[in-house]
Amino acid sequence: MNFIFITGHRKSGTTLLHKLFDGHPSLNVYPTDISLLYAYFPCFVPSIDNTESLDRIRLVLGKSLSKIDGNVVPGANNVFKLDSFLNFVINRMTPGALTSRSELLSVIASAWCEFNDLDTSLPFLLKETTQSIHWHDIKRADEKMKMIQIIRDPRDNFAAIAAGVKGYYSKMGEGPKETLASFINRARLDLLTASQLSHVNPDEFRAVKFEDLALELEKQMRDLVAFLGIDWCASLLSPTFLGEEFLGNSHEDKKMDGVYSGNVGRWRERIADEDAKVIEFWMRDAMHEWGYRLEFNEQEKLNAYSRFYDWYNCKYFYHDSFQANVN
């Protein structure tokens, strides 16, 4: 089975691109994040036995597919029943799939297509956040796999994430600074990996800027169709979910009809300059390579990062060697 993998940092536009391919007649599109590549791998694999592994896989798949339950998957003839699918997947798990990303993806893809009676000769398209770093591991599932990574101006990207700190990320223990700390490291990783793979594997890996997708949708989608070797379809210009209009997943609860470009370049209105300076200091080389213009001078950025570093060091790295009971 041939794989098409969409990835990118959270809130970079991966969901939008994924929903543009929804219902394409030349693809089998898994309708949500696989989720297992960050909610099962790597944190749970070494520390749990097979029974707990299967329970974890069932939990993650169940939560990620909950919106699909009772609906008809594009290309299928019957209503999707979540509990039946979960049993179907678990019964097909192999020992190797519990410890290998590529084997697990192969099991999930085969089970999805078989359960929904889909044409297995079609490419299987899936989405997951920040996975280009695992390019070589994932590619073992299909040596002909093609991957598309969305990249975005890191300041706009952080603005989209910061909007969800209070209502969403705080429930997972993240405050504003924790969210920024996570962002600057993982978003930098995404940009650097996209750069490397674009140069080393240009026939199999393609990076797309969110700004280009939002402002030149048809041009970018036609380029991607040519890259993937699939037919053009008018539905590629309208994001949908299970064939119905998709109105976006903004943390600001904005309903976005079609492809929304209104937040492109609006980071100055949405985040503090202090945060933007930290981002520019830490990511300036990667931003420069992808053509994102830096706005602050070097001294301003250094000063902002020095203040951020004080918090960062105390939070994550400093261990007190001056305690009374430490020799």
Side-chain angles (χ1 to χ4, degrees):
M1 184 181 299
N2 292 336
F3 283 80
I4 298 171
F5 204 114
I6 294 174
T7 191
H9 195 71
R10 56 182 177 173
K11 295 301 174 183
S12 65
T14 53
T15 297
L16 169 64
L17 182 59
H18 182 230
K19 297 301 184 282
L20 288 168
F21 284 107
D22 178 67
H24 192 289
S26 300
L27 301 171
N28 290 324
V29 179
Y30 191 85
T32 67
D33 277 26
I34 291 286
S35 298
L36 293 167
L37 300 187
Y38 63 84
Y40 175 69
F41 291 103
C43 299
F44 294 87
V45 176
S47 60
I48 55 182
D49 62 26
N50 285 1
T51 299
E52 290 176 321
S53 295
L54 293 174
D55 288 345
R56 179 68 182 181
I57 289 170
R58 181 187 291 272
L59 171 68
V60 173
L61 288 179
K63 285 193 171 184
S64 63
L65 288 170
S66 59
K67 293 182 179 179
I68 313 301
D69 196 20
N71 291 283
V72 177
V73 173
N77 296 316
N78 299 315
V79 170
F80 180 77
K81 296 181 179 179
L82 180 57
D83 285 342
S84 297
F85 176 68
L86 295 177
N87 291 333
F88 195 80
V89 170
I90 296 301
N91 288 335
R92 282 157 179 76
M93 279 294 160
T94 62
L98 300 181
T99 57
S100 165
R101 290 180 177 86
S102 58
E103 287 193 42
L104 181 62
L105 288 179
S106 294
V107 170
I108 297 295
S110 297
W112 179 260
C113 293
E114 185 180 348
F115 183 82
N116 291 298
D117 196 23
L118 302 175
D119 182 356
T120 56
S121 68
L122 300 179
F124 185 80
L125 185 145
L126 64 153
K127 166 189 174 286
E128 194 81 296
T129 302
T130 305
Q131 292 301 315
S132 58
I133 190 69
H134 298 301
W135 162 266
H136 293 289
D137 192 5
I138 294 171
K139 202 170 184 296
R140 294 190 183 96
D142 169 29
E143 286 301 316
K144 297 181 180 179
M145 179 189 78
K146 292 190 175 182
M147 180 177 282
I148 304 169
Q149 180 170 332
I150 294 286
I151 61 173
R152 186 176 185 178
D153 184 322
R155 296 158 301 192
D156 275 341
N157 198 165
F158 180 67
I161 294 171
V165 171
K166 184 176 180 180
Y168 181 74
Y169 297 113
S170 63
K171 298 174 183 177
M172 297 183 287
E174 285 192 21
K177 280 188 166 59
E178 286 85 0
T179 299
L180 179 58
S182 169
F183 175 79
I184 61 172
N185 286 293
R186 293 198 288 174
R188 177 176 170 80
L189 176 151
D190 279 327
L191 292 180
L192 294 177
T193 307
S195 176
Q196 178 176 325
L197 292 175
S198 293
H199 288 97
V200 177
N201 304 94
D203 295 333
E204 301 166 311
F205 181 90
R206 182 66 53 88
V208 180
K209 295 174 78 170
F210 171 80
E211 297 81 8
D212 293 340
L213 190 69
L215 299 172
E216 301 178 323
L217 177 61
E218 183 167 349
K219 178 181 183 300
Q220 296 301 317
M221 293 305 293
R222 286 190 179 275
D223 286 348
L224 289 178
V225 162
F227 168 66
L228 297 174
I230 61 176
D231 295 330
W232 174 256
C233 183
S235 66
L236 290 165
L237 300 178
S238 301
T240 57
F241 179 61
L242 301 182
E244 300 294 327
E245 183 181 21
F246 177 71
L247 298 177
N249 64 341
S250 166
H251 283 309
E252 297 164 302
D253 294 325
K254 290 182 179 178
K255 300 302 180 184
M256 304 174 187
D257 184 17
V259 177
Y260 182 71
S261 61
N263 282 332
V264 172
R266 286 190 57 228
W267 57 269
R268 280 191 179 275
E269 305 167 38
R270 305 179 71 201
I271 61 174
D273 280 0
E274 184 83 353
D275 292 340
K277 291 172 186 176
V278 169
I279 291 169
E280 287 194 11
F281 177 86
W282 191 246
M283 303 179 67
R284 59 186 179 275
D285 55 338
M287 291 177 66
H288 177 75
E289 180 169 355
W290 286 107
Y292 294 117
R293 179 179 173 180
L294 304 176
E295 297 292 339
F296 301 99
N297 68 50
E298 294 302 313
Q299 189 62 54
E300 288 180 297
K301 288 183 284 194
L302 179 60
N303 290 344
Y305 199 86
S306 69
R307 290 186 288 270
F308 178 73
Y309 174 76
D310 283 344
W311 171 85
Y312 196 63
N313 188 41
C314 293
K315 175 74 175 181
Y316 295 111
F317 301 120
Y318 180 70
H319 300 286
D320 189 1
S321 60
F322 290 87
Q323 298 178 66
N325 60 347
V326 176
N327 294 323

